[in-house]
Amino acid sequence: MSDGQVTSQTLLESLMKEERRFAPPAEFRANAWVNDATPYEEAARDFESFWASHAENELHWFKPWDTVLDASNPPFFKWFSGGETNICYNCVDRHTQSWRRTKAAIVWEGEPGDSVTLTYQDLHREVQKFANVLKGLGVKKGDRVSIYMGMVPELPIAMLACARIGAPHSIVFGGFSADSLRDRINDAQAKVLITQDAAWRRGKPGPLKPIADQAVSQTPSIEKVVVLRRAGDAFPVEMTPQRDYWWHELMATADRDCPCEHLDAEHPLYILYTSGTTGKPKGILHTTAGYNLGTHMTTKWVFDLKEDDYYWCTADIGWVTGHSYIVYGPLSNGATTVMYEGTPDYPDKDRFWAIIEKYRINVCYTSPTAIRTFMKWGTEYPARRDLSSLRLLGTVGEPINPEAWMWYHENIGHEKCPIVDTWWQTETGMILITPLPGYVTTKPGTATIPFPGVVADIIDENGEPVAANTGGYLILRKPWPAMLRTFWGDDQRYVATYWSRFPGVYFTGDGARRDEDGYYWVTGRVDDVVNVSGHRLSNIEIESTLVAHPAVAEAATIGRNDAIKGQAISAFVVLKAGNAPTEALKKDLRDWVAQKISPIARPDDIYFSADLPKTRSAKIMRRLLRDIAEGRILGDTTTLTDPGVVQEIKQRYITEGREEG
Ligand code: WTA
């Protein structure tokens, strides 16, 4: 933790001693959507009827379903088979048929200080027009549309327009490199790319269109590119005739009416790429109805959304959190969802609190990394602003350490707001382990219990459930509506990744323990995925990128403890003969990874090593490398370039019985 020396084992032990309890405040409880065990009991009694009753009451259907859960071909589960709906209809159209027509749907705050409010009627108009733009560019039901944008209101408009016509979108986070964008477009075989000139970041335009151009020069499937003008004169861009079109020009002449396609419940909604345990990012496929239901119910109950709330999720829509909890979940509920374009430290380190003050935000959902950064900056920033409108706080993305939880509780929630620590994944689509804030007593550091209808467990190597307070693998025993359906174009890998290690159950890749109250303490990944500032990265992908550098023979990366980012990346690099282990080369290698994958993948430290410690079966001993990077062995790591040193450590470790299996 603070000294970076604590192993996850001792971290876990200190977490387990947590004795603070926070029961829902009485007034909060009295007004909450859920304030007793009823939904848990209903779901436990009849899991399918539980989901079906909410699907019926909370969503619009063009045609009712025949089967709630079709489990005839596991693990290829289908939800609401035979039903027809459209998530865009549920998020937009239906709200224009009531008084909500004039309600703010999206409240957007630009980094330079400009702002836009779109009512549901505005959103309806813009989405229909853009859906017609897409049709005009040749996009048909089933065609994929890639999106590479910053946090602008046109991004949810584009997503909803795709959903409306049944064209799965594939959003690529604006911080990814041209190579990463190219690979994702090629995997999805997208027909159209939507991008923007540049995105505002700390007062400067961060280029998007030039990166998109680089990518598109190697993506034969892309026929047309739509470019939003955001930075304008501050960032002139080149347009390729016959291929590139300005958003505003296409919209100026677009027809305003575009009815929603009646889509099969299992029609693909989107593909979102995430890092796995191998080098190649996986295209997680989410489909229509189950995803809509899962994000709708969790948004309503976990954030206890009220009609007049201003709800703000600080994530980027390039990640799943933004998909589910900025766009689809809140809009399906007819909520007002706030979106912010820029960074938390521009123009000053109180920007988040200024936004809460400005819009009188009621519910705020952010990440532990952001909270730890705010802790580092100091309490004077939140203290400057009026945060009294807040009634509920949330976190997601990584385990939250109790100190950060308490800091959030005291300095942002002023000790009156419940905190929902929500565990879920890109794959799960929806929050799965979380307190319901009007019912569940929280403890700092635990995501508490599974959402009603979610059946989780913790098992050992042999698939046996473990006793209380014993570590094991977090798994899910039953399908849930918003679950991923497969990897785009790779059913086999989907089965191998999630459903093979323990037959019949979904393997999350996370380790966890359950305490004596049945609360889940998620401790982090047990696979080769690193979680840096809540961003998922793959060791193998970074290693392969390093090895692609002309000076590198071999590389191994690990995630080491980091007080702010949760984990930081240490890379151990063996150079090819003739290359000197210089500081300049270290910098070059760090920049290389940033350029090839993304700045978020840039290794924090590089160790030149004469050799990599491997097990007898040639597996890299990551645990040993982690010990080195966290300073538990070898004070002076420069000696790693001496071949004897690695041999010696390795010998010592193997004889001490710490060889990894
Ligand atoms: C981690 C983000 C502990 C976990 C929605 C998971 C968490 C991975 C929590 C998924 C939490 C997410 N407590 N760990 N509340 N939330 N994680 O796909 O390791 O970007 O497997 O989805 O983040 O990351 P992803």
Side-chain angles (χ1 to χ4, degrees), residues 503-521:
V505 302
Y506 172 91
F507 174 54
T508 63
D510 278 344
R513 290 186 188 209
R514 208 166 23 204
D515 67 17
E516 56 289 349
D517 296 324
Y519 282 21
Y520 286 74
W521 297 77

Side-chain angles (χ1 to χ4, degrees), residues 56-304:
E56 198 173 324
N57 297 332
E58 301 279 336
L59 304 184
H60 167 89
W61 296 85
F62 295 117
K63 178 171 169 279
W65 61 86
D66 306 317
T67 316
V68 179
L69 171 62
D70 174 354
S72 59
N73 182 26
F76 299 96
F77 297 98
K78 291 183 184 161
W79 284 87
F80 308 108
S81 282
E84 285 179 7
T85 184
N86 188 305
I87 196 168
C88 182
Y89 189 92
N90 281 313
C91 288
V92 185
D93 297 53
R94 61 170 168 166
H95 307 308
T96 64
Q97 293 152 20
S98 71
W99 67 269
R100 280 192 190 138
R101 182 168 74 89
T102 55
K103 176 176 175 175
I106 296 175
V107 169
W108 173 82
E109 167 96 352
E111 196 195 70
D114 46 344
S115 59
V116 168
T117 296
L118 293 171
T119 62
Y120 275 96
Q121 178 170 285
D122 295 333
L123 189 59
H124 192 218
R125 181 188 61 242
E126 297 302 302
V127 167
Q128 291 192 82
K129 284 170 69 180
F130 196 68
N132 281 325
V133 165
L134 291 174
K135 282 183 177 174
L137 295 175
V139 178
K140 297 197 178 55
K141 179 172 154 182
D143 287 343
R144 276 79 61 210
V145 173
S146 289
I147 304 181
Y148 183 64
M149 297 176 91
M151 286 286 286
V152 288
E154 289 80 1
L155 172 53
I157 290 169
M159 295 163 77
L160 291 161
C162 288
R164 191 169 191 88
I165 62 174
H169 55 72
S170 174
I171 302 179
V172 180
F173 171 60
F176 274 120
S177 67
D179 287 2
S180 298
L181 175 61
R182 173 200 62 204
D183 294 347
R184 285 158 176 77
I185 291 173
N186 285 337
D187 190 80
Q189 286 292 294
K191 195 167 181 178
V192 165
L193 172 67
I194 307 167
T195 187
Q196 67 190 61
D197 48 5
W200 288 111
R201 217 182 140 70
R202 295 200 174 87
K204 291 196 217 64
L208 288 171
K209 173 68 164 64
I211 297 172
D213 283 338
Q214 241 178 299
V216 171
S217 68
Q218 297 170 59
T219 58
S221 65
I222 294 286
E223 294 170 8
K224 306 284 180 197
V225 178
V226 182
V227 186
L228 176 79
R229 197 155 190 264
R230 168 60 184 144
D233 295 340
F235 197 84
V237 294
E238 276 174 34
M239 299 288 276
T240 302
Q242 315 300 323
R243 189 197 72 184
D244 299 351
Y245 299 86
W246 286 110
W247 175 291
H248 60 273
E249 289 180 0
L250 296 171
M251 287 292 268
T253 54
D255 192 336
R256 182 218 131 147
D257 295 311
C258 176
C260 280
E261 288 281 335
H262 294 200
L263 298 175
D264 186 274
E266 285 294 342
H267 188 76
L269 171 63
Y270 69 78
I271 304 163
L272 181 58
Y273 288 85
T274 189
S275 298
T277 50
T278 61
K280 197 172 150 253
K282 333 177 272 200
I284 304 293
L285 179 69
H286 283 293
T287 61
T288 300
Y291 178 82
N292 191 356
L293 179 66
T295 55
H296 181 101
M297 290 313 298
T298 45
T299 305
K300 180 170 176 171
W301 286 355
V302 175
F303 301 114
D304 191 46

Side-chain angles (χ1 to χ4, degrees), residues 604-624:
D604 294 87
D605 17 73
I606 304 249
Y607 298 98
F608 289 121
S609 178
D611 191 5
L612 292 176
K614 299 205 186 99
T615 62
R616 291 189 187 95
S617 55
K619 280 180 84 177
I620 292 169
M621 298 171 74
R622 290 189 198 280
R623 200 183 308 164
L624 171 53

Side-chain angles (χ1 to χ4, degrees), residues 274 319-321 365 368 395-400 421-427 433 447 508-510 522-525 531 534-536:
T274 189
W319 310 112
V320 75
T321 305
Y365 188 33
T395 75
V396 60
E398 33 175 339
I400 181 163
D421 170 1
T422 62
W423 177 90
W424 59 296
Q425 309 178 299
T426 306
E427 292 86 341
I433 302 181
T508 63
D510 278 344
V522 176
T523 47
R525 305 291 305 195
N531 192 330
H535 300 317
R536 262 170 79 166

Side-chain angles (χ1 to χ4, degrees), residues 274-282 397 425-427 493 497-498 507-511 523-532 534-543 557-560 567-569 622 626:
T274 189
S275 298
T277 50
T278 61
K280 197 172 150 253
K282 333 177 272 200
Q425 309 178 299
T426 306
E427 292 86 341
R493 235 180 107 207
T497 307
Y498 305 105
F507 174 54
T508 63
D510 278 344
T523 47
R525 305 291 305 195
V526 293
D527 54 14
D528 283 336
V529 172
V530 203
N531 192 330
V532 178
H535 300 317
R536 262 170 79 166
L537 298 166
S538 148
N539 277 320
I540 314 227
E541 188 181 7
I542 305 171
E543 287 164 1
T557 66
I558 53 111
R560 62 164 168 84
Q567 288 190 305
I569 296 169
R622 290 189 198 280
R626 211 169 293 126

